[in-house]
């Protein structure tokens, strides 16, 4: 950490003591690796100089595809753990983006330069970096096809290609519309070019929304739509983070202040399903405390954005619902008949979350699930993260076609699992490590408050003896001041 970050961290510790009545020892524990690791993926797993966990001196060619969070984590871990392996990472991006920071960009608290670092600064010594793009996977031949370097062979493969934002999956939408016609999307980024337009455009959107609200009234409000698709998405809480932060900004909070004009905006949140969060304790906080706190949010269930007319500012949603059919005397209940209708909603501003999918090279290869709800995503075992068919292939991060795990915290937890199991595979041993589904969502409910939702395949999985369903300033302080330097200096070095 630099001097500024150290000063901020010291202040956070003092404020923690006052805020929660914690002892200095407990506060230091929270503020140390444990607290940050909680938001990055559970209790700390600090690596030793030799790499921590299992290691092997076997010779092997290991190829890692992807230069984002998962790819760099694995390059660092495997370089230490597999001393005689020839490790190659294939990634076209010169710039590494700290993507969780895009929400803080949207809130006016980070600039784009705050979330960028040269990828060269993160690449471990002894790892060969091929600046190229993988166009195709051929797991039957143990090779990948690159755009400029031809075929590259491997003995073991780690797929860390992340997700692809499918803006064109919404009729009438394209990435170049973000920042125009009242449209924003915090997700929009280009890892290859090293740009994060979504964060910048959404901060401008916040300010434009506020300017419009200052001229509106409660009786004639501005309409702000917020959408969430019916596909898996990275950081599933981000659509709600923008919903709540934008409304809190309208209340006069955030970096610019101002009068409370949020009642001059009608915020509509449209999503698949009929809950704000899948787990009851977190859903209760959001529905009974957070949403009523604002008083201007209208949740529209089972509304999925299918089409947009940017110039007319009309969004078309697929609305599914059920009606009561005939009574079944054997079951002693009515049949429920599923119905669908297309609904147009006019708006002034819209923040949309695009549908997401695995990158084409994975989806079109034998490595992707061939059918089912996870079709196209990397077909790995949900526990071992080993490919279901190709036992020398492992996955990490957002590309995995498993029930949970499209967060940075999950990728951080995948790292030691893949390390342990790949090393075991190199040694011809049974795979010892099991991923429990851990994921973490630091859900920003307002400026200065985060509800730290940690959970796994079995349900809630809190790391600390604090009510996880209560939004707290503690977690906001961690997220804003501490996680980024720990991401760069520890997580990307494979040290946590």
């Amino acid at each position: 950490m630099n001097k500024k970050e150290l000063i901020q961290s010291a202040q956070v510790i003092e404020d923690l003591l006052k805020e929660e009545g914690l002892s200095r020892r407990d506060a230091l524990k929270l503020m140390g690796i444990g607290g940050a690791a909680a938001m990055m993926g559970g209790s700390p797993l600090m690596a030793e100089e030799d790499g921590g966990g299992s290691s092997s001196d076997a010779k092997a060619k290991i190829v890692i595809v992807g230069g984002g969070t998962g790819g760099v984590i694995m390059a660092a871990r495997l370089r230490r753990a597999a001393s005689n392996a020839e490790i190659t990472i294939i990634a076209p991006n010169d710039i590494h983006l700290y993507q969780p920071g895009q929400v803080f960009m949207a809130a006016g608290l980070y600039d784009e330069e705050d979330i960028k670092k040269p990828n060269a600064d993160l690449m471990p010594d002894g790892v060969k970096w091929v600046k190229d793009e993988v166009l195709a996977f051929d797991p039957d031949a143990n090779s990948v096809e690159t755009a400029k370097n031809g075929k590259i062979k491997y003995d073991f493969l780690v797929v860390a290609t992340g997700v692809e934002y499918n803006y064109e999956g919404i009729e009438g939408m394209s990435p170049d519309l973000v920042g125009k016609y009242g449209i924003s999307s915090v997700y929009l980024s280009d890892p290859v070019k090293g740009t994060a337009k979504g964060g910048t455009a959404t901060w401008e959107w916040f300010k434009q929304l506020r300017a419009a609200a200052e001229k509106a009234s409660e009786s004639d409000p501005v309409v702000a739509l917020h959408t969430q698709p019916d596909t898996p998405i990275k950081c599933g809480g981000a659509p709600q983070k923008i919903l709540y932060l934008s409304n809190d900004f309208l209340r006069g909070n955030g970096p610019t202040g101002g009068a409370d004009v949020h009642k001059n905006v009608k915020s509509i949140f449209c999503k698949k399903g009929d809950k704000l969060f899948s787990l009851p304790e977190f859903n209760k906080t959001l529905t009974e405390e957070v949403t009523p706190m604002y008083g201007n949010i209208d949740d529209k269930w089972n509304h999925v954005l299918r089409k947009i007319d940017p110039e007319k500012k009309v969004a078309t949603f697929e609305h599914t619902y059920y009606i009561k059919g005939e009574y079944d005397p054997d079951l002693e209940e009515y049949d429920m008949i599923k119905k669908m209708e297309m609904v147009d909603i006019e708006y002034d501003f819209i923040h949309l979350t695009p549908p997401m999918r695995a990158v084409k090279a994975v989806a079109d290869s034998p490595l992707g699930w061939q059918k089912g709800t996870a079709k196209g995503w990397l077909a790995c075992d949900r526990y071992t993260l080993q490919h279901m068919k190709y036992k020398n292939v492992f996955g990490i991060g957002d590309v995995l076609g498993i029930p949970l795990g499209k967060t940075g915290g999950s990728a951080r937890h995948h790292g030691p699992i893949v390390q342990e199991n790949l090393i075991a595979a190199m040694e011809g041993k049974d795979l010892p490590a099991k991923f429990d589904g851990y994921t973490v969502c630091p859900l920003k409910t307002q400026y200065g408050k985060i509800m730290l939702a940690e959970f796994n395949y079995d349900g809630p999985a809190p790391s600390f003896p604090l009510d996880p369903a209560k939004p707290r300033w503690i977690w906001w302080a961690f997220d804003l001041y501490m996680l980024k330097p720990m991401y760069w200096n520890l997580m990307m070095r494979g040290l946590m």
Side-chain angles (χ1 to χ4, degrees):
M1 297 184 189
N2 60 34
K3 182 177 179 181
K4 178 181 177 182
E5 289 165 342
L6 285 170
I7 293 172
Q8 289 171 332
S9 299
Q11 184 61 54
V12 168
I13 292 173
E14 294 303 318
D15 290 341
L16 279 171
L17 297 174
K18 299 173 184 177
E19 180 82 9
E20 298 294 339
L22 297 172
S23 69
R24 182 171 292 275
R25 178 180 178 182
D26 288 340
L28 286 169
K29 179 182 176 183
L30 283 170
M31 287 304 300
I33 301 303
M39 297 184 72
M40 286 182 171
S43 58
L45 292 173
M46 293 297 293
E48 303 297 334
E49 287 301 314
D50 64 357
S54 298
S55 61
S56 173
D57 59 4
K59 292 181 181 289
K61 291 183 178 180
I62 303 174
V63 169
I64 302 165
V65 179
T69 300
V72 175
I73 286 174
M74 289 319 305
R77 283 186 165 274
L78 292 174
R79 178 64 288 162
R80 290 193 301 268
S83 57
N84 287 327
E86 178 186 313
I87 301 174
T88 300
I89 185 167
I90 306 172
N93 53 307
D94 283 314
I95 299 297
H96 188 104
L97 296 175
Y98 173 64
Q99 294 187 60
Q102 286 184 233
V103 171
F104 280 130
M105 286 177 63
L109 300 173
Y110 282 177
D111 293 324
E112 186 171 341
E113 292 304 311
D114 293 330
I115 71 166
K116 296 165 68 170
K117 187 179 284 289
N119 227 11
D121 291 353
L122 303 174
M123 290 296 175
D125 292 339
V127 170
K128 181 181 179 182
W129 178 16
V130 177
K131 293 185 183 181
D132 205 345
E133 179 183 3
V134 169
L135 301 179
F137 293 87
D138 186 356
D140 292 306
N142 291 332
S143 72
V144 297
E145 180 74 32
T146 65
K148 296 181 292 187
N149 289 271
K151 292 184 178 180
I152 296 177
K153 302 281 289 185
Y154 61 81
D155 297 314
F156 293 91
L157 175 69
V158 179
V159 182
T161 50
V163 304
E164 184 175 271
Y165 301 134
N166 184 23
Y167 284 95
E168 290 84 354
I170 302 166
E171 185 181 346
M173 184 60 195
S174 63
D176 62 288
L177 290 173
V178 172
K180 304 173 184 176
Y181 303 108
I183 299 172
S184 192
S185 176
V186 73
Y187 282 95
L188 183 60
S189 63
D190 188 330
V192 176
K193 295 180 180 178
T195 58
K197 180 181 177 181
T200 303
T202 305
W203 172 231
E204 292 302 315
W205 188 87
F206 271 37
K207 292 185 288 186
Q208 292 167 10
L209 178 60
R210 179 175 180 82
E214 289 171 347
K215 299 176 182 178
S217 65
E218 289 189 46
S219 59
D220 186 20
V222 174
V223 175
L225 277 181
H226 298 256
T227 76
Q228 184 166 329
D230 56 353
T231 66
I233 62 173
K234 70 184 302 171
C235 188
Q240 287 186 65
K241 295 176 189 180
I242 299 302
L243 171 68
Y244 303 137
L245 287 174
S246 63
N247 272 294
D248 202 33
F249 182 70
L250 293 170
R251 295 199 301 179
N253 296 316
T256 62
D260 183 352
V261 293
H262 85 286
K263 288 296 182 68
N264 295 349
V265 174
K266 180 181 180 180
S267 292
I268 302 174
F269 183 49
C270 302
K271 71 182 298 287
K272 180 184 178 181
D274 59 0
K275 294 181 176 64
L276 292 172
F277 209 98
S278 59
L279 297 176
E281 45 272 85
F282 302 122
N283 187 64
K284 181 178 180 180
T285 296
L286 296 172
T287 56
E288 297 183 8
E289 297 179 26
V290 177
T291 299
M293 175 178 71
Y294 289 108
N296 67 331
I297 296 174
D298 179 13
D299 294 317
K300 290 193 177 295
W301 308 122
N302 290 306
H303 279 66
V304 179
L305 182 63
R306 299 300 188 200
K307 180 180 178 181
I308 189 170
D309 187 327
E311 295 188 3
K312 292 183 179 179
K313 293 190 173 182
V314 176
T316 301
F317 293 85
E318 180 182 293
H319 175 219
T320 56
Y321 60 100
Y322 292 85
I323 62 171
K324 190 182 294 184
E326 294 183 1
Y327 183 77
D328 187 326
D330 294 327
L331 298 175
E332 297 184 344
E333 62 184 33
Y334 287 92
D335 294 328
M336 300 304 292
I337 302 171
K338 185 177 181 179
K339 294 285 188 178
M340 189 271 286
E341 63 181 352
M342 303 307 289
V343 177
D344 289 342
I345 300 179
E346 296 182 356
Y347 64 86
D348 299 293
F349 294 86
I350 183 170
H351 178 272
L352 61 86
T353 301
M356 299 182 196
R357 60 192 179 191
V359 299
K360 190 175 187 300
V362 172
D364 290 349
S365 78
L367 295 179
W369 288 106
Q370 301 302 303
K371 60 183 179 180
T373 57
K375 184 178 180 180
W377 299 95
L378 189 66
C380 285
D381 181 89
R382 69 175 65 185
Y383 300 109
T384 65
L385 307 184
Q386 181 187 51
H387 196 271
M388 300 296 290
K389 177 181 178 182
Y390 300 98
K391 302 308 179 183
N392 61 339
V393 177
F394 293 82
I396 183 172
D398 298 338
V399 71
L400 287 165
I402 60 178
L404 298 175
K406 287 180 171 42
T407 69
S410 295
R412 174 256 186 236
H413 235 224
H414 298 156
I417 303 298
V418 175
Q419 175 186 334
E420 290 289 308
N421 288 340
L422 194 152
I423 292 297
M426 288 174 63
E427 296 284 325
K429 299 177 181 178
D430 292 338
L431 308 191
K434 305 293 183 185
F435 176 57
D436 64 0
Y438 185 95
T439 192
V440 57
C441 177
L443 192 56
K444 300 166 179 65
T445 58
Q446 63 190 94
Y447 281 87
K449 290 288 179 72
I450 280 176
M451 180 176 71
L452 187 63
E454 299 175 271
F455 51 101
N456 58 26
Y457 292 144
D458 297 324
S463 298
F464 293 96
L466 298 171
D467 181 359
K470 178 183 177 181
R472 296 174 185 274
W473 178 84
I474 293 174
W475 307 126
W476 175 273
F478 284 159
D479 203 352
L480 181 60
Y481 299 119
M482 297 196 71
L483 289 196
K484 184 159 59 78
M486 287 186 167
Y487 176 90
W488 294 129
N489 299 317
L490 295 175
M491 187 170 165
M492 289 299 94
R493 309 294 181 188
L495 295 173
M496 65 176 294

